[in-house]
């Protein structure tokens, strides 16, 4: 009956439709895709053969073309099975994240077996006898050719199942589970065809398999999304390892930098230093400080990019921050003929809730830039407020009469490592990281930053930030402004112990501390420290490096805290100067935190806190 080819004709129609849709879409170059395209074309040919042989059988079962057509049809079935086997073996064993070239090599190895096998099987099928019997337009193919075909399909099905069972974990991960249902379809069709040959559904089932594959795993859109996800995953991984590399590198750089900054500072303070050497040493101090800024900047930007920089909010005193910023800016202005104006809104709350150190960093970057890029004239630091319920909107602006920025360069301003007007900037130190970090920090705090500038006249940077207001009674005693505490501290007979595995660092710390008149002892590991404490030795302060081999500073302190008599204030000394480290070390039981290279003002503060009489 010709009606029995309606099924195949309909399948042919759908296959053609699928072919058009598939090829009209943008596809990515992948091995699976090549398999899929092969399956599409093979099925189109198979449908053609199926329709032609069924029709011929209906018209005249003795037509001499019928036998070769049926043999070709059997060869088509063998081909589909082998290609599908290669496909299943490929997706279940090859990692999709592997480079395209490596994937292609693996497929080549598979094809080296499959193609010769196909050629041999095709020749055998073509040569051995095959009998066609037609009843009502249904061709019953019998004989050794048909039996061989049946055996090949059976072996292939066993391979698919074994391969899926062996790789079930990766297959679930790769969402290739639909293949499992497809295999069941193919086997069911094969069996049905044997039980009820008049159904003639094998070819249509193969097409159906291709259809399901299109809508589940081989859809070009899904493939693109998968590829994008894999690429994204790889990019995130690469970025994370870059950040880790940068943070460990900056740690490594900080340690020798500690020696350079420390020794050059000590040298600079020597009274008998010749005048010309003084200038050179002060250049070393400046250069090493710039290097330190670069290291800190790289550390910050890599943390921001790896989404590891957290905004840690706490209550803070606005006046303390503003005082610090003014003092720091004045120090940076040095001898420059600049007028520094400040205008702070009297309504500015005394206490706010936010990340004080990041707010300070943002404003300090803007103020430092103003000092750097203004030769003469003024710098105006203004803080306005809008108060609404318990939120204070800070409108912070830094205006200068400096070199200004060309309008066409404004949009490059916040890109990392971008320095504008290079020719006019050569004498000004900078990395081009400051504003990139500033912008990211402002955004992390849900704020906004704006720039207005006239080239040659000046610039104005404005930051808008919302902070929560903390209402509490004004404290009568103000906190110490420690930055001005100097060596005049009375600490003569106090004993300090420094623990660090790096001899250079010990030397720097010793020199710095003895300049205060302190008695300094040094040891290079935590075990000796524990022994000393057990022996009952007494110190007024311990500076304990964290990153030491065998036993870290943190572990050492943990052991010390278990000694009932231990109560000496202990300061974490570390080159791990990432933001948030202070909180980490304080939570681990340290009394204070001192970053390497040791900053004189910080050391002053700690000495004043623990050792000053
Ligand atoms: P750096 O100052 O380290 O070069 P920044 O990211 O802080 O890097 O600034 C990027 C560039 O923006 C600077 O190189 C400078 O050309 C320009 N710039 C920043 N602030 C000002 C300013 N106040 N006046 C003029 N130009 C500025």
């Amino acid at each position: 009956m010709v009606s029995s080819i309606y099924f195949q004709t309909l399948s042919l129609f759908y296959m053609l439709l699928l072919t058009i849709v598939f090829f009209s879409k943008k596809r990515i170059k992948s091995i699976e895709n090549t398999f899929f395209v092969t399956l599409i074309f093979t099925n189109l040919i198979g449908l053609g053969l199926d329709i032609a042989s069924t029709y011929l059988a209906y018209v005249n079962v003795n037509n001499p073309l019928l036998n070769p057509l049926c043999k070709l049809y059997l060869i088509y079935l063998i081909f589909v099975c082998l290609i599908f086997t290669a496909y299943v073996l490929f997706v279940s064993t090859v990692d999709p994240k592997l480079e395209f070239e490596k994937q292609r090599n693996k497929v080549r190895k598979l094809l080296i077996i499959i193609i010769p096998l196909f050629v041999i099987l095709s020749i055998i099928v073509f040569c051995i006898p095959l009998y066609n019997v037609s009843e009502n337009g249904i061709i019953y193919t019998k004989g050794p050719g048909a039996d061989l075909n049946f055996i090949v399909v059976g072996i292939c099905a066993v391979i698919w199942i074994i391969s899926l069972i062996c790789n079930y974990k990766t297959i679930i991960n790769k969402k290739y589970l639909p293949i499992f249902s497809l295999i069941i379809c193919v086997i069911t069709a094969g069996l049905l065809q044997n039980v009820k040959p008049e159904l003639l559904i094998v070819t249509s089932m193969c097409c159906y398999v291709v259809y399901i594959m299109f809508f589940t795993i081989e859809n070009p859109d899904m493939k693109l999304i998968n590829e994008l996800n894999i690429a994204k995953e790889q990019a995130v991984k690469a970025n994370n390892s870059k950040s880790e590399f940068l943070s460990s590198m900056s740690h490594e750089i900080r340690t020798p930098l500690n020696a350079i900054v420390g020794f050059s500072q000590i040298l600079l303070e020597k009274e008998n230093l010749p005048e010309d050497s003084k200038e050179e040493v002060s250049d070393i101090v400046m250069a090493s400080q710039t290097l330190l800024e670069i290291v800190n900047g790289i550390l910050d930007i890599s943390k921001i990019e790896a989404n590891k920089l957290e905004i840690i909010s706490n209550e803070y005193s606005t006046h303390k921050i503003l005082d610090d910023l003014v003092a720091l800016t004045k120090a940076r202005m040095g001898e420059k003929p600049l007028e520094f104006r400040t205008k702070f809104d009297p309504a500015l709350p005394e206490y706010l809730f936010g990340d004080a150190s990041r707010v300070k960093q943002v404003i300090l970057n803007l103020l430092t830039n103003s000092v750097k890029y203004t030769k003469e004239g003024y710098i105006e630091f203004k803080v306005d407020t809008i108060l609404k319920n318990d939120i204070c909107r800070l409108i912070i602006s830094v205006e200068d009469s400096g070199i200004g920025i060309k309008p066409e360069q404004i949009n490059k301003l916040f890109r990392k490592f971008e320095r504008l007007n290079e020719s006019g900037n050569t004498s000004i130190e900078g990395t081009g990281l400051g504003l990139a970090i500033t912008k990211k920090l402002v955004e992390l705090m849900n704020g906004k930053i704006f720039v207005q500038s006239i080239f040659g006249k000046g610039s104005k940077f404005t930051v808008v930030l919302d902070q929560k207001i903390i209402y509490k009674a004004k404290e009568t005693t103000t906190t110490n402004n420690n930055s001005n505490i100097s060596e005049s501290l009375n600490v003569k007979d106090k004993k300090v112990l420094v623990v660090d595995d790096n001899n250079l660092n010990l030397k720097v710390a010793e020199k710095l501390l003895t300049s205060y008149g302190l008695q300094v002892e040094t040891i290079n590991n935590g075990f000796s420290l524990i022994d000393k404490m057990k022996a009952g030795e007494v110190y007024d302060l311990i500076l304990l490096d964290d990153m030491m081999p065998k036993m870290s500073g943190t572990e050492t302190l943990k052991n010390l805290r278990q000694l009932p008599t231990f109560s000496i204030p202990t300061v974490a000394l570390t080159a791990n100067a990432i933001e948030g480290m202070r909180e980490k070390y304080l939570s681990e039981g340290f009394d204070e935190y001192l970053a390497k290279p040791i900053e004189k003002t910080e050391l002053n503060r700690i000495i004043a806190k623990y050792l000053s009489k």
Side-chain angles (χ1 to χ4, degrees):
M1 290 273 276
V2 178
S3 63
S4 63
I5 63 169
Y6 284 173
F7 217 30
Q8 288 94 318
T9 319
L10 204 65
S11 300
L12 183 65
F13 172 73
Y14 281 119
M15 274 308 285
L16 285 172
L17 211 66
L18 180 129
T19 313
I20 294 166
V21 174
F22 183 76
F23 284 99
S24 61
K25 276 182 178 264
K26 212 170 166 358
R27 279 156 290 120
I28 46 158
K29 198 174 154 194
S30 79
I31 302 292
E32 290 106 309
N33 228 310
T34 318
F35 274 122
F36 189 62
V37 171
T38 316
L39 279 174
I40 290 180
F41 284 118
T42 316
N43 276 321
L44 282 172
I45 297 170
L47 279 169
L49 290 169
D50 199 4
I51 292 168
S53 52
T54 313
Y55 183 76
L56 268 188
Y58 171 72
V59 177
N60 177 12
V61 77
N62 297 319
N63 191 313
L65 277 178
L66 186 61
N67 200 272
L69 267 181
C70 288
K71 283 182 174 175
L72 278 177
Y73 177 74
L74 291 184
I75 290 171
Y76 144 78
L77 279 181
I78 290 173
F79 187 75
V80 167
C81 287
L82 290 180
I83 286 294
F84 198 68
T85 307
Y87 176 84
V88 172
L89 288 176
F90 176 78
V91 294
S92 57
T93 55
V94 177
D95 185 353
K97 289 173 196 159
L98 216 61
E99 284 165 34
F100 181 73
E101 273 310 311
K102 286 186 183 158
Q103 290 192 7
R104 193 150 73 181
N105 287 343
K106 297 217 167 193
V107 169
R108 276 195 189 131
K109 282 182 196 157
L110 270 175
L111 292 184
I112 284 174
I113 305 168
I114 284 183
I115 291 174
L117 191 67
F118 168 68
V119 175
I120 295 168
L121 288 172
S122 306
I123 295 171
I124 297 175
V125 168
F126 224 90
C127 297
I128 56 175
L130 183 78
Y131 314 111
N132 301 306
V133 187
S134 172
E135 276 173 29
N136 297 330
I138 300 162
I139 326 156
Y140 294 92
T141 43
K142 290 189 174 129
D147 297 340
L148 178 68
N149 198 278
F150 190 68
I151 293 167
V152 171
V153 175
I155 293 173
C156 285
V158 171
I159 295 175
W160 304 338
I161 292 163
I162 292 175
S163 130
L164 283 181
I165 291 171
C166 292
N167 302 291
Y168 76 99
K169 267 188 189 154
T170 44
I171 284 160
I172 289 171
N173 284 345
K174 290 178 201 162
K175 300 196 175 65
Y176 282 141
L177 206 62
I179 295 176
F180 198 68
S181 54
L182 306 184
I183 292 171
I184 294 172
C185 276
V186 173
I187 297 170
T188 319
L191 292 176
L192 255 173
Q193 189 71 84
N194 264 282
V195 182
K196 272 190 171 288
E198 70 276 11
L199 277 177
L200 289 181
I201 55 162
V202 171
T203 329
S204 300
M205 265 300 185
C206 289
C207 297
Y208 173 69
V209 165
V210 174
Y211 242 84
I212 295 188
M213 281 170 86
F214 177 79
F215 284 111
T216 52
I217 46 184
E218 291 306 331
N219 184 316
D221 295 341
M222 279 194 43
K223 283 251 141 201
L224 276 173
I225 292 167
N226 277 345
E227 283 289 307
L228 282 177
N229 281 338
I230 291 171
K232 189 177 153 201
E233 220 176 84
Q234 283 170 342
V236 168
K237 253 190 201 163
N239 200 31
N240 285 346
S241 43
K242 181 201 77 184
S243 309
E244 265 162 39
F245 170 75
L246 283 175
S247 93
S248 64
M249 270 309 290
S250 70
H251 179 269
E252 295 307 312
I253 295 168
R254 272 172 165 277
T255 309
L257 208 56
N258 181 33
I260 301 171
V261 173
F263 283 129
S264 51
Q265 259 172 3
I266 290 162
L267 262 180
L268 199 61
E269 279 162 22
K270 276 203 169 151
E271 277 162 18
N272 52 355
L273 194 72
E275 211 42 50
D276 53 340
S277 307
K278 228 176 206 168
E279 207 181 312
E280 284 155 10
V281 176
S282 108
D283 283 346
I284 299 176
V285 172
M286 269 189 26
S288 50
Q289 260 153 7
T290 309
L291 189 56
L292 188 62
E293 267 170 37
I294 296 172
V295 171
N296 285 344
I298 292 177
L299 203 61
D300 270 349
I301 202 94
S302 58
K303 288 212 89 192
I304 291 171
E305 285 180 353
N307 288 329
K308 280 191 184 155
L309 198 134
E310 275 177 60
I311 295 299
I312 304 161
S313 295
N314 263 313
E315 67 174 61
Y316 64 87
S317 153
T318 48
H319 294 164
K320 161 111 183 51
I321 286 198
L322 294 179
D323 287 349
D324 284 356
L325 286 166
V326 170
L328 282 166
T329 314
K330 281 188 176 158
R332 281 184 193 195
M333 275 165 42
E335 303 288 295
K336 267 193 168 179
L338 288 174
E339 186 197 343
F340 185 44
R341 304 176 198 153
T342 52
K343 283 186 186 168
F344 303 143
D345 189 343
L348 178 70
E350 171 71 43
Y351 293 100
L352 290 177
F353 187 81
D355 193 331
S357 67
R358 293 305 180 186
V359 172
K360 200 168 153 187
Q361 187 180 355
V362 162
I363 306 173
L364 191 60
N365 272 346
L366 301 181
L367 286 167
T368 311
N369 276 352
S370 286
V371 176
K372 280 199 304 190
Y373 300 106
T374 310
K375 269 200 196 113
E376 53 185 12
Y378 70 92
I379 293 171
E380 186 175 279
F381 175 25
K382 213 168 140 192
V383 180
D384 282 319
T385 53
I386 300 173
L387 306 175
K388 200 174 175 196
N389 302 329
D390 61 344
I391 298 291
C392 170
R393 175 157 291 179
L394 294 171
I395 303 159
I396 306 153
S397 67
V398 176
E399 189 179 325
D400 62 53
S401 58
I403 58 171
I405 303 151
K406 288 181 187 159
E408 66 271 20
Q409 294 200 306
I410 293 247
N411 53 353
K412 289 191 198 161
L413 209 59
F414 298 107
R415 289 190 206 151
K416 58 183 177 183
F417 299 112
E418 193 83 60
R419 303 204 67 210
L420 316 177
N421 189 22
E422 285 281 13
S423 52
N425 264 353
T426 40
S427 59
I428 306 167
E429 298 269 9
T431 55
L433 275 175
L435 283 181
I437 295 170
T438 304
K439 184 163 192 265
K440 296 230 159 113
L441 286 178
V442 170
E443 283 168 356
L444 273 174
M445 294 189 278
N446 298 321
K448 286 210 160 65
I449 183 164
F450 309 95
V451 201
Q452 293 158 285
S453 185
I454 301 173
F455 185 60
K457 289 228 155 146
S459 322
K460 183 176 178 183
F461 286 80
T462 308
V463 169
V464 180
L465 270 183
D466 284 351
Q467 305 271 282
K468 240 174 109 179
I469 304 170
I470 302 280
Y471 297 98
K472 61 180 191 181
K474 249 190 173 175
E475 279 171 24
T476 44
T477 49
T478 48
T479 45
N480 275 341
N481 186 356
N482 296 304
S483 55
N484 292 327
I485 297 170
S486 69
E487 292 80 353
S488 59
L489 290 164
N490 187 6
V491 291
K492 282 259 167 341
D493 50 345
K494 300 282 176 178
K495 271 174 84 182
V496 179
L497 179 65
V498 189
V499 190
D500 195 321
D501 61 307
N502 184 305
N503 281 340
L504 258 181
N505 283 344
L506 281 179
K507 252 171 127 179
V508 176
E510 191 178 0
K511 287 258 176 182
L512 275 174
L513 292 165
T514 43
S515 72
Y516 289 82
L518 289 161
Q519 295 177 37
V520 185
E521 265 184 49
T522 58
I523 47 173
N524 62 7
N525 63 71
F527 299 100
S528 310
L529 174 60
I530 294 173
D531 290 344
K532 270 179 179 289
M533 293 301 111
K534 280 185 179 160
E537 291 197 33
V538 179
Y539 297 89
D540 297 292
L541 186 70
I542 297 172
L543 300 188
L544 179 55
D545 179 40
D546 186 31
M547 284 221 183
M548 292 190 291
K550 297 199 179 130
M551 182 159 55
S552 71
T554 312
E555 280 172 75
T556 311
L557 186 67
K558 241 184 220 161
N559 291 326
L560 287 176
R561 293 268 180 236
Q562 280 165 7
L563 302 177
T565 52
F566 182 78
S567 63
I568 304 170
T570 308
V571 178
L573 190 62
T574 171
N576 210 345
I578 308 165
E579 202 60 37
M581 279 297 141
R582 171 182 295 279
E583 291 70 21
K584 178 184 166 268
Y585 283 112
L586 296 189
S587 72
E588 269 161 4
F590 284 93
D591 298 282
E592 261 299 342
Y593 160 89
L594 193 55
K596 287 192 263 183
I598 299 171
E599 267 188 37
K600 210 64 199 294
T601 46
E602 268 300 285
L603 188 62
N604 283 341
R605 188 181 63 77
I606 289 172
I607 287 176
K609 188 168 168 186
Y610 293 104
L611 302 175
S612 190
K613 285 176 191 163

